[in-house]
Amino acid sequence: SSSVKERGVGSIETDVCVCSVTLGRSVCLPDSHRAENIPPEVLRQREAKWLDMLNNWDKWMAKRHKKMKLRCQKGIPPSLRGRAWLYLSGGKVKREQHKGKFEELDSQAGDPKWVDVIERDLHRQFPFHEMFVARGGHGQQDLYRVLKAYTLHRPEEGYCQAQAPIAAVLLMHMPAEDAFWGLVQICEKYLPGYYSAGLEAIQLDGEILFTLLKRVSPLAHRHLKKHKLDPILYMTEWFMCAFSRTLPWVSVLRVWDMFLCEGVKIIFRVGLVLLKCMLGSQDKLKTCQGQYETMELLKTIDTRYMQEGFLVREILELPVSERDIEKEHLASVRRWKETRGELHCKSLPRMHGAKAIMAAEPPSRQDLRQNPTIIVESPLATKSNGEDKERKNTKEQKNGKKNSSPTPVAAYLEPSEPSPLLKDTALLGSNQSLSSTEYDTYL
């Protein structure tokens, strides 16, 4: 725990609202991380659905949350994942309600105690990712800015090493300011107290995980209890990094889609699935007869159990709810007080997903409004406006007037206007899950 508390995985600077076309970006991932191909027309359909949800977020959260949850379980389109994560976490609302806050924090020097530790950790986060491969590159610079800003935002908490991979994953999908507010929401709403001194919150959740395991896989529970393996020995990195350093990249993205929608129960379910699969049968236990062997097994999870399709299916079938977690949390706190006394860290109450966060702090319509930094030219709008301009010029010439203003190079749709190309496109249904890497474009 001392190494974690030493207080130690990219982003394209885009915040784009596109009317009718997409902006492309390649992602360097091995073929083994790519899932089945999704037909382009199906992807366009899903993007259209998500754009509709984002444009009417409050209505969807209030009246059609179950449908939104199903779409998160199926997988958020890569082109919209960053924006969707920001809305799900409540980071978008926080950013709008605290305009200029990140710039203010970013301009400050920072506490040297935390700055030195952060700088030492930068090169350790996803060192083979194109964003973070270069020392001092834009990815590492943004990661430093986000982590330093958080230490200034929460000086009583400071910096924890496990926050770095969380911030890095966010930066791979959104600009630095958005990643900062996403990190704030994860640390304060989804995983409160995880990164505070003493690691009390993660120890409590370790006890909850162990208790739930008894119900999910009694055999695995007995084995871990027999060998006196404290949960904090094997689940600390899993939970504090939200599995970003454990699972294959495609699986990380699918887990985060569900985690930011439904809350920490998804993290518990992933942990329970891995423990059940690795220690849930007598045949598997034959290879780990002691504490050391068991720990080594849990450090090298079989890739079969981490594959996107298998893992998501197991997560959805596991009957662990928010109520189960809260019930065990109260029991764990009671046991803690009986054996160790009062908790030193008074963390904020945990919010179980996007709906709970929005209900606790209802946003205004203005907070949810999308503010694109780029508006992409619509070919149809350009053609139509060009024809109108030509007719106007002809009319003026007939009247003997000179046209002093040049013909515009391009006409642009307002962000609120529907896209003619999108509106006229036939959209097809599909039950296929969405790959996290195929057609990786940003809307």
Side-chain angles (χ1 to χ4, degrees):
S1 62
S2 60
S3 64
V4 175
K5 195 58 186 179
E6 182 190 356
R7 316 244 290 152
V9 187
S11 140
I12 300 301
E13 289 283 347
T14 48
D15 179 14
V16 184
C17 181
V18 175
C19 297
S20 59
V21 296
T22 59
L23 303 178
R25 181 177 75 90
S26 63
V27 173
C28 299
L29 287 172
D31 292 337
S32 60
H33 283 185
R34 298 184 182 276
E36 62 187 53
N37 291 335
I38 304 297
E41 63 273 15
V42 175
L43 187 61
R44 297 287 86 81
Q45 176 198 28
R46 295 184 181 178
E47 289 170 342
K49 289 178 178 179
W50 271 94
L51 283 171
D52 175 63
M53 287 198 299
L54 292 166
N55 286 324
N56 302 279
W57 191 257
D58 52 342
K59 295 178 182 178
W60 275 86
M61 289 293 287
K63 299 178 180 179
R64 304 193 66 187
H65 180 258
K66 287 186 177 179
K67 185 67 175 177
M68 178 185 290
K69 185 168 75 172
L70 288 173
R71 288 179 179 174
C72 288
Q73 291 171 355
K74 186 178 283 191
I76 299 172
S79 58
L80 290 165
R81 179 169 275 120
R83 202 191 308 178
W85 282 1
L86 199 64
Y87 272 73
L88 287 166
S89 67
K92 159 69 172 167
V93 174
K94 282 287 187 182
R95 188 190 73 188
E96 296 301 320
Q97 293 177 347
H98 300 83
K99 287 185 177 179
K101 179 69 173 177
F102 176 72
E103 288 81 358
E104 176 189 338
L105 297 172
D106 191 32
S107 65
Q108 297 177 28
D111 188 330
K113 174 178 64 176
W114 300 127
V115 166
D116 291 344
V117 181
I118 291 170
E119 288 178 339
R120 289 201 302 269
D121 281 344
L122 294 178
H123 71 281
R124 301 171 183 166
Q125 314 311 320
F126 300 102
F128 300 109
H129 190 282
E130 59 186 351
M131 275 196 65
F132 303 105
V133 69
R135 282 183 179 265
H138 75 91
Q140 290 193 12
Q141 289 178 24
D142 282 351
L143 183 58
Y144 170 79
R145 293 169 61 206
V146 170
L147 295 173
K148 185 201 72 174
Y150 188 83
T151 65
L152 294 168
H153 175 68
R154 289 286 179 192
E156 73 283 1
E157 192 170 280
Y159 167 69
C160 176
Q161 268 187 324
Q163 290 173 316
I166 297 286
V169 173
L170 293 170
L171 279 169
M172 293 177 199
H173 295 86
M174 58 190 76
E177 182 178 11
D178 292 351
F180 167 75
W181 289 115
L183 178 65
V184 167
Q185 291 297 93
I186 289 173
C187 294
E188 296 181 0
K189 307 295 185 185
Y190 290 84
L191 308 173
Y194 268 35
Y195 310 103
S196 299
L199 303 177
E200 292 175 337
I202 195 71
Q203 292 181 65
L204 287 171
D205 277 2
E207 292 186 19
I208 296 171
L209 179 72
F210 193 59
T211 304
L212 293 173
L213 182 64
K214 186 175 183 179
R215 190 178 77 191
V216 173
S217 178
L219 191 61
H221 180 272
R222 283 197 302 271
H223 179 81
L224 293 171
K225 187 175 182 180
K226 174 184 175 182
H227 294 290
K228 296 182 173 59
L229 269 169
D230 194 300
I232 202 168
L233 295 175
Y234 53 83
M235 55 78 68
T236 301
E237 184 176 86
W238 291 356
F239 277 51
M240 294 185 75
C241 301
F243 288 97
S244 60
R245 296 171 68 118
T246 305
L247 301 175
W249 184 241
V250 174
S251 300
V252 169
L253 297 180
R254 292 292 301 279
V255 165
W256 276 48
D257 290 347
M258 295 183 286
F259 164 56
L260 293 174
C261 178
E262 302 180 52
V264 77
K265 73 177 181 186
I266 298 298
I267 303 298
F268 277 96
R269 288 184 185 181
V270 176
L272 291 168
V273 167
L274 297 183
L275 289 170
K276 181 184 71 171
C277 290
M278 294 301 292
L279 302 172
S281 71
Q282 291 291 353
D283 290 341
K284 295 183 176 75
L285 295 181
K286 288 177 182 178
T287 61
C288 51
Q289 296 297 317
Q291 188 181 77
Y292 174 79
E293 291 80 5
T294 303
M295 278 300 301
E296 287 300 303
L297 188 68
L298 293 178
K299 287 179 182 177
T300 54
I301 304 291
D302 193 322
T303 55
R304 292 176 298 168
Y305 306 132
M306 298 191 292
Q307 291 304 313
E308 178 188 6
F310 174 85
L311 184 61
V312 171
R313 187 166 57 250
E314 291 291 315
I315 291 169
L316 297 179
E317 290 177 357
L318 202 61
V320 172
S321 66
E322 297 94 339
R323 184 176 298 179
D324 296 329
I325 293 170
E326 285 305 312
K327 178 183 175 182
E328 295 303 333
H329 176 75
L330 293 174
S332 295
V333 170
R334 187 172 61 251
R335 288 192 298 269
W336 182 288
K337 290 181 178 179
E338 290 172 355
T339 58
R340 311 189 200 184
E342 289 293 325
L343 291 163
H344 295 95
C345 176
K346 304 296 182 183
S347 56
L348 298 169
R350 177 150 54 197
M351 298 289 173
H352 289 278
K355 189 173 184 179
I357 291 172
M358 191 166 181
E361 300 175 353
S364 66
R365 289 285 294 174
Q366 185 64 29
D367 293 336
L368 295 172
R369 183 180 177 186
Q370 299 188 63
N371 301 309
T373 55
I374 301 175
I375 302 172
V376 177
E377 175 185 341
S378 166
L380 293 187
T382 304
K383 181 180 178 182
S384 174
N385 288 358
E387 290 174 352
D388 290 343
K389 189 69 177 179
E390 186 177 348
R391 283 196 295 269
K392 183 179 178 182
N393 290 343
T394 303
K395 186 177 180 180
E396 288 180 350
Q397 288 172 2
K398 286 181 180 179
N399 293 334
K401 295 181 181 179
K402 286 189 177 182
N403 181 20
S404 58
S405 59
T407 303
V409 176
Y412 296 88
L413 284 176
E414 291 298 321
S416 58
E417 290 185 40
S419 163
L421 293 183
L422 188 59
K423 183 177 67 175
D424 296 337
T425 302
L427 301 178
L428 306 177
S430 170
N431 292 323
Q432 291 172 297
S433 65
L434 185 61
S435 166
S436 300
T437 56
E438 295 295 334
Y439 307 102
D440 193 18
T441 56
Y442 283 73
L443 288 181

